[in-house]
Amino acid sequence: MWLPLKVQYGLANTDEHIASNIESALQRHNHVGFQSIMDVESGAVSVVGSGPSLKKNWEKLRDSGTDIIACNAAFQFLLERGVTPKYFFCFDSDPLMLEFITPVEGVTYLLASRCPPKAFEMLEGYNVVTVHAGGDLHVERLLQQYEKMEPMVIGGSAAVTRAMCMAPVLGYKTVHLWGADGSFADGDTHIRKSTTDEKEMLIKLNNRVFSMAPWMTRQVTDFQTLAPTLRHLGIKLIVHGDGIVPHLARTLGYETDEGLVTYRIKEIAANLKLKARILWQQL
């Protein structure tokens, strides 16, 4: 029996901890704000998350000819395969994000001011641009206190959806999403082991069942809210791979990798495979 989903969300870190990180970023001697690179780009960009589908289609991404904004662990995943993104983006405030930091010449690092001070220290001497995450409790007050007339970037709870909103501000007119699955695939939560122990739940959306962590549901609702805004602004959005977010995008009329008939066949196969795995676990 399927029940309506109700999930209560919260922050992984306290507002005070996040405020301390923001203040540290604003005090840095080499602080460069996001406004310095607004509207400097054009054409198409690929925003890349760490969803497991990236393991299957990263070569298509490599050959797409687009600029790349790699989020979190996707950056290292691509580097290991000889693909150097133009941008790295992370806005996590927890020190767990430090494992995503890999200094590379020529890359522009988009670090949220809410990131730990150690992240900025690890990238000392590299091209770092500070991004302020709209929605943090104290960010506006601190910007006023330090007389920083700098924009705040919206975009919800996930790095992918934040980057999806940043891309048009950078000047891009077409945004491709890769690895923005929002769900597990064959038990994999990400392209590599998650930084935390993930809880698993089953969600049914438009006749397809997905396995996902509770926090991933927020990414799905963020996409559902933000994607129409980009469309209204004339931004073309294309979603690649498989998972609950591409599934939602397809049902909302956005361009995806596969036609409807091909997708329906894969949908039936995916549901059967998931049901078989659940049954095996119960034996």
Side-chain angles (χ1 to χ4, degrees):
M1 178 179 178
W2 293 98
L3 300 174
L5 176 66
K6 293 183 179 180
V7 179
Q8 184 174 353
Y9 302 103
L11 293 173
N13 302 99
T14 66
D15 290 317
E16 290 69 27
H17 175 231
I18 294 172
S20 175
N21 288 353
I22 295 171
E23 193 161 18
S24 174
L26 292 173
Q27 292 173 341
R28 296 189 68 80
H29 68 90
N30 55 354
H31 173 90
V32 177
F34 183 60
Q35 73 280 1
S36 65
I37 58 172
M38 290 170 58
D39 207 28
V40 299
E41 304 289 2
S42 62
V45 67
S46 288
V47 172
V48 188
S50 303
S53 70
L54 186 62
K55 292 189 289 187
K56 297 181 179 179
N57 61 14
W58 70 269
E59 290 174 307
K60 290 183 179 179
L61 164 63
R62 178 196 61 193
D63 299 336
S64 67
T66 64
D67 290 347
I68 296 175
I69 303 174
C71 303
N72 302 335
F75 183 67
Q76 293 163 330
F77 177 89
L78 293 175
L79 288 177
E80 290 166 359
R81 287 154 181 79
V83 181
T84 302
K86 188 168 188 177
Y87 295 96
F88 165 85
F89 173 59
C90 187
F91 88 118
D92 289 332
S93 59
D94 195 278
L96 288 172
M97 63 80 63
L98 296 175
E99 71 174 66
F100 303 142
I101 302 296
T102 301
V104 177
E105 291 289 347
V107 174
T108 296
Y109 290 86
L110 304 172
L111 285 187
S113 54
R114 71 203 305 272
C115 290
K118 180 67 174 177
F120 291 89
E121 294 170 10
M122 293 171 67
L123 292 171
E124 186 73 34
Y126 292 84
N127 187 19
V128 177
V129 174
T130 303
V131 179
H132 304 296
D136 281 332
L137 181 62
H138 299 289
V139 63
E140 186 173 352
R141 173 183 63 80
L142 290 170
L143 286 172
Q144 293 175 350
Q145 178 181 328
Y146 284 90
E147 299 181 344
K148 300 287 188 183
M149 300 299 292
E150 298 176 355
M152 293 178 285
V153 176
I154 63 168
S157 61
V160 164
T161 52
R162 292 268 173 170
M164 184 176 81
C165 292
M166 281 197 300
V169 183
L170 289 170
Y172 295 109
K173 303 303 181 185
T174 300
V175 179
H176 296 258
L177 295 185
W178 305 78
D181 304 350
S183 55
F184 303 163
D186 300 327
D188 288 338
T189 63
H190 297 78
I191 47 176
R192 67 185 191 193
K193 183 176 173 57
S194 176
T195 55
T196 59
D197 291 329
E198 301 285 9
K199 296 181 179 179
E200 184 177 4
M201 61 191 298
L202 297 180
I203 300 293
K204 187 177 184 181
L205 176 66
N206 297 331
N207 298 317
R208 182 172 171 187
V209 179
F210 296 90
S211 174
M212 55 200 297
W215 65 265
M216 291 178 175
T217 61
R218 183 65 181 270
Q219 181 179 352
V220 178
T221 56
D222 288 342
F223 178 87
Q224 187 174 18
T225 300
L226 297 166
T229 301
L230 296 187
R231 175 186 277 168
H232 179 73
L233 294 173
I235 304 300
K236 184 176 183 180
L237 185 62
I238 304 169
V239 185
H240 302 270
D242 194 20
I244 193 169
V245 171
H247 175 67
L248 175 61
R250 188 176 293 103
T251 60
L252 293 176
Y254 293 93
E255 184 176 340
T256 58
D257 287 327
E258 293 144 353
L260 184 59
V261 174
T262 302
Y263 179 73
R264 290 303 183 200
I265 295 172
K266 291 187 66 174
E267 181 181 57
I268 294 170
N271 279 340
L272 290 173
K273 190 173 184 179
L274 181 59
K275 289 177 181 178
R277 186 168 68 86
I278 295 169
L279 180 61
W280 176 258
Q281 291 173 344
Q282 294 174 345
L283 292 178

